């Protein structure tokens, strides 16, 4: 277990990210606040990813830890959750290898999560699970702007009125999120039925009567390129095209199984949410 001496642990999973990771790391060390420690786990890269990481470790030896284990090719979800399980901190952020963070991303997100915690202390003065996520700007591989607000595609306005949207739609984008230790506690262990780490944590916070809060401020350039493991394209694809794709059907049945087994959500309620909120604006 790695004990973080700073308030915030940034968790980065890498895999063959040499083309863009330098820009991402530079953006972290240009943040307006530097009260964080960066933990990096590589998932078996064969390019120059680790070489670039070590150049930053040489520059910032007291702010970066390379987390090493024997597992490789776990995939992003399991790799991020392995980091979460092995780092002890008050607050956590996930960081992809190919984006660029705006200079005030940490500062503004941290201010919001602290304000929510202050409002929602429980009867024992303990913090409830809190997850805060922000909007993001979608950019191409060269950082040219493609979309000013990804929140519109994620139907965040619908989520604010109907938080049950979390059950049928990927609302939280992990690379924009910050969450507290109470949220980590309810999110472990990681279910074998879960497909993505950010979706799982959001659901666990929601079903444990915590707070999932979405900020309107964009704090990140969310880079879309041919090597993305996941990206913005699915959210912007037409509903009809998504519903006809084998990938959508697989995701549908994975989600319904996860929600029924882990959260006791009746199948009929899931179908009702799917019908109701998929078309709500």
């Amino acid at each position: 277990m790695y004990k973080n001496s700073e308030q915030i642990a940034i968790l980065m999973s890498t895999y063959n990210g040499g083309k863009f990771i330098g820009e991402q790391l530079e953006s972290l060390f240009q943040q307006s606040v530097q009260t964080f420690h960066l933990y990096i786990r590589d998932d078996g890269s064969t390019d120059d990813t680790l070489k670039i990481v070590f150049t930053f470790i040489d520059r910032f030896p007291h702010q970066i830890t390379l987390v090493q284990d024997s597992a490789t090719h776990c995939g992003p979800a399991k790799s991020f959750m392995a980091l979460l399980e092995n780092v002890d901190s008050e607050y956590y952020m996930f960081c992809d290898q190919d984006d660029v963070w705006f200079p005030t991303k940490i500062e503004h997100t941290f201010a919001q999560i602290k304000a929510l915690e202050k409002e929602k202390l429980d009867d024992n003065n303990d913090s409830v699970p809190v997850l805060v996520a922000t909007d993001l700007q979608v950019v191409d591989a060269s950082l040219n702007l493609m979309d000013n607000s990804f929140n519109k595609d994620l139907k965040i306005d619908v989520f604010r009125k109907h938080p049950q949207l979390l059950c049928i739609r990927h609302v939280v984008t992990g690379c924009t999120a910050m969450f507290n230790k109470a949220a980590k506690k309810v999110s472990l262990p990681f279910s074998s039925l879960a497909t993505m780490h950010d979706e799982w944590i959001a659901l666990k916070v929601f079903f444990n009567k915590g707070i999932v809060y979405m900020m309107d401020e964009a704090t990140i350039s969310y880079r879309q390129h041919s090597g993305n493991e996941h990206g913005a394209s699915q959210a912007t694809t037409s509903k009809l095209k998504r519903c006809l794709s084998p990938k959508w059907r697989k995701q549908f049945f994975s989600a319904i199984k996860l929600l029924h087994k882990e959260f006791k959500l009746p199948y009929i309620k899931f179908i009702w949410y799917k019908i109701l909120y998929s078309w709500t604006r």
Side-chain angles (χ1 to χ4, degrees):
M1 178 69 71
Y2 296 86
K3 176 66 176 177
N4 185 21
S5 60
E6 299 289 351
Q7 283 187 304
I8 301 163
I10 299 178
L11 311 180
M12 173 185 276
S13 175
T14 62
Y15 179 71
N16 287 347
K19 187 174 181 180
F20 301 118
I21 192 172
E23 286 180 287
Q24 174 65 295
L25 291 171
E26 287 287 358
S27 75
L28 295 186
F29 293 100
Q30 293 172 11
Q31 289 291 300
S32 58
V33 296
Q34 290 287 310
T35 54
F36 68 84
H37 193 94
L38 173 63
Y39 297 86
I40 301 174
R41 181 190 180 277
D42 188 73
D43 203 26
S45 294
T46 56
D47 66 353
D48 60 347
T49 296
L50 283 175
K51 181 179 178 181
I52 296 168
V53 167
F54 280 118
T55 66
F56 278 85
I57 291 175
D58 288 341
R59 289 171 57 189
F60 305 99
H62 302 298
Q63 266 186 286
I64 306 176
T65 297
L66 184 63
V67 177
Q68 296 177 297
D69 55 45
S70 58
T72 57
H73 307 299
C74 299
K78 290 181 179 178
S79 186
F80 275 115
M81 292 302 289
L83 280 165
L84 181 60
E85 186 172 357
N86 287 288
V87 175
D88 182 26
S89 184
E90 292 301 313
Y91 300 92
Y92 299 88
M93 302 179 82
F94 290 130
C95 181
D96 290 346
Q97 64 186 0
D98 47 9
D99 302 321
V100 173
W101 286 16
F102 297 173
T104 56
K105 172 178 166 60
I106 296 176
E107 178 186 352
H108 291 181
T109 311
F110 189 53
Q112 183 62 72
I113 199 170
K114 293 294 285 185
L116 289 167
E117 285 183 319
K118 187 176 180 180
E119 290 176 13
K120 300 294 183 179
L121 291 174
D122 68 13
D123 293 337
N124 297 317
N125 209 36
D126 293 327
S127 179
V128 299
V130 181
L131 182 153
V132 171
T134 75
D135 201 353
L136 46 82
Q137 291 184 350
V138 182
V139 298
D140 66 15
S142 301
L143 298 179
N144 296 308
L145 184 64
M146 298 168 64
D147 191 339
N148 261 319
S149 174
F150 192 41
N151 273 1
K152 292 182 296 183
D153 297 317
L154 295 178
K155 302 182 70 169
I156 297 304
D157 287 341
V158 177
F159 164 73
R160 287 175 176 141
K161 298 174 186 175
H162 308 285
Q164 299 88 349
L165 185 70
L166 274 173
C167 298
I168 63 157
R169 191 172 179 90
H170 200 140
V171 172
V172 172
T173 306
C175 57
T176 74
M178 178 184 284
F179 53 96
N180 61 7
K181 184 180 285 190
K184 170 188 173 172
K185 184 177 179 180
V186 300
S187 299
L188 293 175
F190 186 46
S191 171
S192 61
L193 298 175
T195 56
M196 286 307 296
H197 54 292
D198 46 9
E199 181 180 40
W200 169 252
I201 294 172
L203 285 168
K204 290 295 286 186
V205 170
F206 173 70
F207 278 100
N208 280 277
K209 299 180 180 179
I211 303 167
V212 179
Y213 184 91
M214 307 300 298
M215 295 173 60
D216 288 322
E217 178 184 356
T219 63
I220 183 174
S221 290
Y222 187 46
R223 197 190 312 251
Q224 301 300 291
H225 57 90
S226 59
N228 278 87
E229 286 284 337
H230 297 274
S233 59
Q234 182 175 333
T236 56
T237 304
S238 71
K239 292 184 179 70
L240 179 60
K241 189 173 181 180
R242 285 205 304 269
C243 292
L244 293 175
S245 70
K247 182 178 180 181
W248 182 90
R249 291 196 296 272
K250 182 179 179 181
Q251 290 174 338
F252 176 88
F253 288 110
S254 295
I256 198 170
K257 185 176 181 181
L258 171 70
L259 286 157
H260 182 69
K261 295 286 187 180
E262 296 287 352
F263 302 103
K264 312 305 179 188
L265 187 75
Y267 293 126
I268 190 65
K269 185 169 284 190
F270 178 87
I271 299 298
W272 172 240
Y273 288 166
K274 198 73 176 173
I275 294 170
L276 182 63
Y277 300 129
S278 292
W279 304 101
T280 303
R281 293 186 178 276

